[in-house]
Each structure stands twice: as structure tokens, then as C-alpha cells.
């Protein structure tokens, strides 16, 4: 029997271990993907640390997948072998639940998540429901495309649904894996783009990524600096510190929105400040496969790229440690 390498988490808080498994066959409505690259996302810690109660182990993490269709199951008309594709966090939808019937596929009651409710992309091959799969443009390499399947789509889709118009002031808070993409997208979408991060040393990078203004939140009060510029129509909060998010909310313009995509456990808000200016705080789910296609196409056309550190699959454990260290610049990607 033909086998493949997978990197699995054997149990909650267990090590990432590389093992051989039989290459699986796609069932009805599914495709098999030969994985070429898979990004390592901070959310992979959900599997590694056992943060979802009903996750079954062993589990193969990975929801930033770029590869090639290798085989299609019964009833899959929209994909064929040899096509380049990607799979992200959204693991497919049923099409018949009430959320799907209203077009909110992201909220499907089946709650399928790539690399969490089913095995993901830390592997030579993986199976995905066709509804989770995005077509990929020819002019993006697998390593370039992989981080766009979670970090990319999350920032791109949040910004394009934020209500901001070209020339509106949009601040991107944080300049890490999400933020370094968010600044590029905001600039390419025509927003007056302000980057907020800690330390003056990040100013040249922020400008290089397309920010018109850089605010060093260690040396300056970011809320006051934003207000000097007229206030932000949108602040895209990519940081994972609720305290840091609280410190920027005062920079929202009247009717401005703090758009939260960093998974901080809690934050303090000022109800008086919100209500006095009809301001809001809102979260954003990453998106579905068609949103991924839009993200990939926009990135390919406009030159938005993730900066990556690349590791071979066999060094996945080391690569994961690099991601959790917070020192990676800026995404860590496994290449098969
Ligand atoms: Zn992710
Ligand atoms: Zn559904």
C-alpha cells in the first residue's frame, strides 16, 4: 500500500511527531490534495494544546494549505486532477442548514475546520470537502500562497467588508504575521493606511509595506496620534493583547469601527466613548473558499506577499516552536 508522511499531534499537549500512514481515498464530495506547502498558524495551538474539547486525536494540524488536486471523489464536478488549489480554516459547509440557506456558509452548523475537525495540511496528502477548496492562480508559488489561506484571507476579507472607502483612514494595529499583510492590503485597497506597532525600528518596514504613517505605540499614545489625523474609520486589531487593543480604541473617528481579528481573551471597552460617537467593536471570521479565491487573485495581481521562513515537513516540530516563539518574520511555512 502506498504511504505518506504526516505530522500529527498524538494527544492534547503531545509532541508533533512524523509518522507514515496509508494515502487516504476521497469519499463522495471530497478531493485528495497533494500538499506542496502549508503555513503554520498560531491557531494550530488549538490542536497542539487541546483547546477544543471534542477534537479527536491523533490529529494532523494545518489550515494554510497549497497544493494540487490528486484525485476526486464521486459527485465532484468542479475540480479535476492536476488543478492547483488551496484550503484554509473554513473546512466546508453542508448547504442545507439555516445558516447556509441564508448564505452565511461560514457559520454552517457542521462547524468543519481544516486541521481541527479533520486532518489538515502538515502532510504529503490530505482529503478536503470540495466546498472547502479554492482555485489558485498560476502566478503564486505554493510557499507564497499558503499563508494567504489564513493570515491573508482574514485580513483581506475583514478590510474589504469593513465599510471603509478609498482614502478613509484605516489603521492596522500590529505588524506581525497578520499585520504585515493587513498593511499591504489596506494600502493596495486605496485606504489612507496607518501602521501601529511597538518600537521605532519597525517604521522602515511599515513604510515599505505601504503605510503612509507609522505610530510607535511605545513612544506615543496611539489613540491620541490617530485623533490628530482625524480619527480612524477602521482600526484592524491584529494583536493578541486585549490591553493593547483597549489602548487604541480611543483613536476611532465618529462612526468608526474597531475590527477585531486578533484572538485576545478579553479587552476593556469604554461604553461612553462608543455611544457618544456611534462607534462599534466588531469581530470578523476569516472567510470561505470563494473569499480565499478573491484573496489569492487580488494578491497575485497587486503584488501583496507574505514574508516567510520556510522549513521542510520533517522539521515541523522545530518550525512550530519558531512560530510560537513570536520571533518569526513573519509567517512560518512547511514545504513538502
Ligand atoms: Zn489560521
Ligand atoms: Zn450548513
Amino acid at each position: 500500500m502506498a504511504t505518506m508522511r504526516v505530522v500529527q499531534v498524538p494527544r492534547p499537549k503531545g509532541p508533533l511527531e512524523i509518522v507514515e500512514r496509508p494515502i487516504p481515498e476521497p469519499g463522495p464530495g471530497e478531493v485528495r490534495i497533494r500538499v506542496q506547502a502549508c503555513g503554520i498558524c498560531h491557531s494550530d495551538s488549538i490542536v497542539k494544546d487541546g483547546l477544543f474539547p471534542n477534537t479527536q486525536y491523533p490529529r494532523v494540524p494545518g489550515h494554510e494549505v497549497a497544493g494540487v488536486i490528486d484525485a476526486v471523489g464521486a459527485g465532484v464536478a468542479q475540480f479535476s486532477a492536476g488543478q492547483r488549489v488551496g484550503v484554509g480554516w473554513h473546512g466546508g459547509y453542508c448547504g442545507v442548514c439555516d445558516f447556509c440557506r441564508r448564505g452565511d456558509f461560514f457559520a454552517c452548523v457542521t462547524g468543519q475546520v481544516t486541521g481541527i475537525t479533520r486532518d489538515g495540511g502538515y502532510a504529503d496528502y490530505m482529503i478536503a470537502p470540495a466546498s472547502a477548496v479554492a482555485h489558485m492562480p498560476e502566478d503564486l508559488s505554493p510557499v507564497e500562497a499558503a499563508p494567504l489561506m489564513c493570515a491573508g484571507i482574514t485580513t483581506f476579507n475583514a478590510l474589504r467588508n469593513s465599510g471603509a472607502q478609498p482614502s478613509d483612514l484605516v489603521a492596522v494595529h500590529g505588524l506581525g504575521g497578520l499585520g504585515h499583510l493587513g498593511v499591504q492590503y489596506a494600502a493596495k485597497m486605496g485606504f489612507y493606511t496607518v501602521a501601529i506597532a511597538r518600537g521605532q525600528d519597525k517604521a522602515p518596514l511599515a513604510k515599505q509595506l505601504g503605510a503612509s504613517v507609522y505610530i510607535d505605540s511605545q513612544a506615543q499614545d496611539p489613540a491620541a496620534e490617530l485623533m490628530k489625523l482625524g480619527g480612524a474609520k477602521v482600526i484592524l486589531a491584529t494583536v493578541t493583547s486585549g490591553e493593547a487593543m483597549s489602548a487604541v480604541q480611543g483613536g476611532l473617528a465618529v462612526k468608526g469601527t474597531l475590527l477585531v481579528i486578533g484572538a485576545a481573551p478579553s479587552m476593556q471597552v469604554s461604553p461612553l466613548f462608543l455611544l457618544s460617537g456611534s462607534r462599534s467593536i466588531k469581530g470578523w471570521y476569516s472567510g470561505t473558499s470563494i473569499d480565499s479565491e478573491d484573496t489569492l487573485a487580488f494578491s497575485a495581481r497587486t503584488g501583496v506577499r507574505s514574508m516567510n521562513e520556510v522549513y521542510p515537513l520533517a522539521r515541523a516540530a522545530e518550525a512550530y516552536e519558531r512560530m510560537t516563539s513570536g520571533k518569526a518574520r513573519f509567517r512560518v511555512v512547511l514545504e513538502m
Side-chain angles (χ1 to χ4, degrees), residues 90 92-97 99-100 104-112 285:
H90 182 78
Y93 54 88
C94 74
V96 297
C97 74
F99 293 114
C100 285
D104 293 326
F105 301 107
F106 79 92
C108 177
V109 293
T110 60
Q112 300 173 75
Y285 177 92

Side-chain angles (χ1 to χ4, degrees), residues 53-74:
N54 296 323
T55 307
Q56 287 172 9
Y57 290 83
R59 180 58 85 214
V60 179
H63 58 267
E64 289 190 340
V65 182
V68 176
I69 299 269
D70 177 64
V72 298

Side-chain angles (χ1 to χ4, degrees), residues 35 38 49 59 88 101 109 114 124 127 151 164 169 177 194 229 241 263 292 319:
V35 181
C38 183
D49 298 338
R59 180 58 85 214
R101 290 167 66 210
V109 293
T114 310
D124 288 321
I127 302 289
L169 195 162
V194 177
L229 299 168
S241 155
S292 293

Side-chain angles (χ1 to χ4, degrees), residues 1-7 18-25 32-35 60 119-120 122-127 313:
M1 187 187 292
T3 61
M4 63 175 185
R5 300 170 302 162
V6 306
V7 172
I18 189 159
V19 297
E20 295 276 329
R21 283 193 196 172
I23 297 176
E25 292 300 323
R32 183 171 67 209
I33 297 166
R34 179 168 59 78
V35 181
V60 179
D119 285 335
Y122 290 18
D124 288 321
Y125 294 88
M126 67 171 278
I127 302 289
L313 180 65

Side-chain angles (χ1 to χ4, degrees), residues 17-273:
E17 58 183 25
I18 189 159
V19 297
E20 295 276 329
R21 283 193 196 172
I23 297 176
E25 292 300 323
E30 295 177 339
V31 300
R32 183 171 67 209
I33 297 166
R34 179 168 59 78
V35 181
Q36 294 172 305
C38 183
I40 296 182
C41 179
H42 196 269
S43 302
D44 295 341
S45 63
I46 290 169
V47 173
K48 182 77 168 59
D49 298 338
L51 305 180
F52 270 11
N54 296 323
T55 307
Q56 287 172 9
Y57 290 83
R59 180 58 85 214
V60 179
H63 58 267
E64 289 190 340
V65 182
V68 176
I69 299 269
D70 177 64
V72 298
V76 177
Q78 69 272 45
F79 292 106
S80 54
Q83 287 178 323
R84 298 187 63 219
V85 293
V87 186
W89 171 267
H90 182 78
Y93 54 88
C94 74
V96 297
C97 74
D98 285 358
F99 293 114
C100 285
R101 290 167 66 210
R102 292 185 195 282
D104 293 326
F105 301 107
F106 79 92
C108 177
V109 293
T110 60
Q112 300 173 75
V113 182
T114 310
I116 294 181
T117 64
R118 57 161 61 223
D119 285 335
Y122 290 18
D124 288 321
Y125 294 88
M126 67 171 278
I127 302 289
S131 62
V133 179
H135 291 281
M136 185 170 292
E138 282 305 319
D139 40 1
L140 282 176
S141 75
V143 166
E144 285 176 325
L148 303 180
M149 298 305 301
C150 181
I153 180 183
T154 302
T155 48
F156 172 83
N157 210 27
L159 285 169
R160 73 169 174 169
N161 286 288
S162 69
Q165 301 286 330
S167 94
D168 280 347
L169 195 162
V170 171
V172 177
H173 183 208
L175 212 47
L178 291 171
H180 91 292
L181 286 164
V183 169
Q184 294 178 67
Y185 286 127
K188 297 290 185 187
M189 288 177 186
F191 303 137
Y192 177 29
T193 304
V194 177
I196 305 170
R198 296 194 304 175
Q200 198 52 41
D201 55 317
K202 299 208 179 71
L205 172 73
K207 296 285 172 70
Q208 182 198 326
L209 295 171
S212 297
V213 178
Y214 176 73
I215 298 173
D216 170 9
S217 62
Q218 278 177 328
Q220 298 163 294
D221 173 357
E225 292 303 313
L226 287 173
M227 280 311 194
K228 279 185 205 164
L229 299 168
K233 174 77 180 180
V234 169
I235 301 174
L236 184 70
T238 73
V239 297
T240 51
S241 155
E243 218 171 293
M245 286 184 195
S246 300
V248 299
Q249 63 183 317
L252 286 173
V254 163
K255 293 171 83 175
T257 303
L258 179 66
L259 197 51
V260 176
I261 57 172
S266 67
M267 68 172 286
Q268 279 205 319
V269 302
S270 165
L272 181 62
F273 183 67

